[in-house]
Amino acid sequence: MSVVEKSISEPELTSRESVVDIKKNRLKNRIIRELYKSGTSTIAHLARLLHASVPSITTLIEELIGEKWLLEIGTGEAQFGRKPVLFGLNPYRHLILILDINTHDTKLIIFNLNNQIIARHEVSLQLIDSTAYLKDLYKYTETFLQEAAVDASDILAIGVAMPGLINPALGVNYTYKKLNSPNISFGKLLEDHFQTPIYIINDTKATVLGEHRFGLAKGKNYVFSINIDWGVGLGILLNGEVFQGASGFAGELGHIQLKPDGELCHCGKVGCLDTLASASSLVKRVRKELEAGQVTKLIEYKDNLDEVDVEKVIQAAKQGDSYSIDLLYDIGMELGKGLAIAVQLFNPEIIIIDGVLAKAERFITNPLEQAIHKFCLTDFKNNLTIEISQMAEMAKLYGTQAYVMEQVLESK
């Protein structure tokens, strides 16, 4: 043994090996992340992109194939000589289970690493603030996996998108407190039950992430995604990243006060935007005014008020019902007032409308634009566009999938 070899202690050698392993794993993760974004690539292209040598990338690709992360997909184009081999993520292993939880149903979706849905099921399981919800969620999820013939060992991680004040780092939903046990968070309860990493994200934040990765916000850095559903949520993208805030609560637009002498909100405050512009407030108002004898095409539901829903109001508006048109106009104006505050705080380049009330299209966007023109400084509007989402609910699902993948790769 040489003098140099003798001078290197065992702890130092272990430390150097650890550094090498860390660098290698980081490069592996960058390969996986790049293939997740681009779909396929050649070794030469990955080497250029990641500033690594072709032999290094070749070795790592072979290891990732052995670990079932990658597959040879085919061959690429070449001007001269042999066509290069294309590599992509393995669609048959490392699946992601998404639990899309909301106040009217629960959707269960399995994605492969190519963002393809390989199984999907919707159950009439409504989110309630009770431990009973968890028991039903476990039961439906286990049945779904069995029917989809998916082995639990193939589930890389589970992503949960749901409404409420969510701290993703702690796995706690502060709006639905009874989903947690004493000293055990909702996320930890799920993780212990399924024996799989759990990543929880607010549904509106998942939506803006999906729009940025796959939809209208692709390539943009300053984005609002407003979810007009049974509540009003705002997803904020700053510098290309979802803005979470100190505790994960950023974007609760529905609970800013717009009417000090307004109705009591379920949050305990008075006059929140939720009480003026959400789908639930719309249905509540229609039912109340039909009982009072309001003249409208919706009068046919006077004796069956439970049948009144958002879709029927939107349909009536599209058929020229002035009452329904006025209702949607009022909602658009109230939303615009709330958004005008946020626009002047964050200066977005695009506002994407999502949720059940997005189906109203121009009946919502026209008054919303008018309100922003009325309440915003002129310069804020010069480079601002307002669009209806082209992805609808898929923005949330793809966003949750992307969030899980990014968290998994960061933790590897």
Side-chain angles (χ1 to χ4, degrees), residues 22-35:
I22 290 170
K23 289 182 177 178
K24 188 166 118 177
N25 286 333
R26 283 178 179 168
L27 197 51
K28 277 185 175 181
N29 287 348
R30 290 178 68 192
I31 291 171
I32 295 171
R33 186 178 284 111
E34 177 56 32
L35 291 175

Side-chain angles (χ1 to χ4, degrees), residues 168-362:
L170 300 178
V172 177
N173 189 323
Y174 291 94
T175 303
Y176 296 89
K177 293 183 173 66
K178 293 178 183 176
L179 294 179
N180 308 290
S181 291
N183 303 318
I184 305 178
S185 71
F186 173 59
K188 180 62 175 170
L189 289 172
L190 291 175
E191 195 164 278
D192 289 346
H193 181 85
F194 291 110
Q195 292 297 296
T196 302
I198 303 289
Y199 300 99
I200 304 177
I201 185 171
N202 171 271
D203 51 4
T204 305
K205 292 180 176 65
T207 298
V208 77
L209 183 60
E211 291 286 357
H212 183 252
R213 300 296 190 265
F214 308 100
L216 290 172
K218 198 169 184 179
K220 298 185 183 300
N221 288 316
Y222 302 94
V223 179
F224 283 175
S225 175
I226 181 165
N227 184 24
I228 321 168
D229 211 278
W230 298 103
V232 178
L234 181 66
I236 304 170
L237 196 84
L238 298 180
N239 292 316
E241 298 295 330
V242 176
F243 180 55
Q244 295 275 11
S247 302
F249 302 161
E252 280 297 320
L253 188 73
H255 296 289
I256 62 169
Q257 188 186 69
L258 285 188
K259 195 173 181 180
D261 58 346
E263 294 183 13
L264 178 68
C265 181
H266 62 84
C267 73
K269 310 300 180 184
V270 173
C272 292
L273 182 59
D274 261 11
T275 67
L276 301 169
S278 64
S280 53
S281 67
L282 171 66
V283 170
K284 181 180 177 182
R285 177 177 168 183
V286 172
R287 290 174 179 175
K288 181 179 179 181
E289 292 178 356
L290 283 177
E291 275 190 312
Q294 175 66 50
V295 176
T296 167
K297 287 177 70 70
L298 298 170
I299 196 67
E300 62 183 289
Y301 301 107
K302 184 176 180 180
D303 296 327
N304 296 287
L305 293 176
D306 289 343
E307 294 183 17
V308 176
D309 57 24
V310 174
E311 284 78 8
K312 289 185 174 64
V313 175
I314 293 172
Q315 182 182 15
K318 290 180 177 178
Q319 292 172 349
D321 181 49
S322 59
Y323 169 72
S324 299
I325 292 170
D326 288 343
L327 281 176
L328 295 173
Y329 178 86
D330 289 347
I331 283 179
M333 286 298 293
E334 297 297 346
L335 283 169
K337 288 178 187 177
L339 275 171
I341 298 170
V343 165
Q344 296 195 152
L345 289 174
F346 295 104
N347 188 202
E349 53 197 304
I350 185 172
I351 298 173
I352 303 170
I353 312 296
D354 198 0
V356 65
L357 275 168
K359 297 174 184 177
E361 299 174 329
R362 302 306 295 181

Side-chain angles (χ1 to χ4, degrees), residues 146-167:
Q146 290 172 5
E147 292 177 349
V150 171
D151 193 282
S153 63
D154 288 332
I155 300 296
L156 179 65
I158 298 175
V160 181
M162 64 190 307
L165 295 175
I166 294 171
N167 185 318

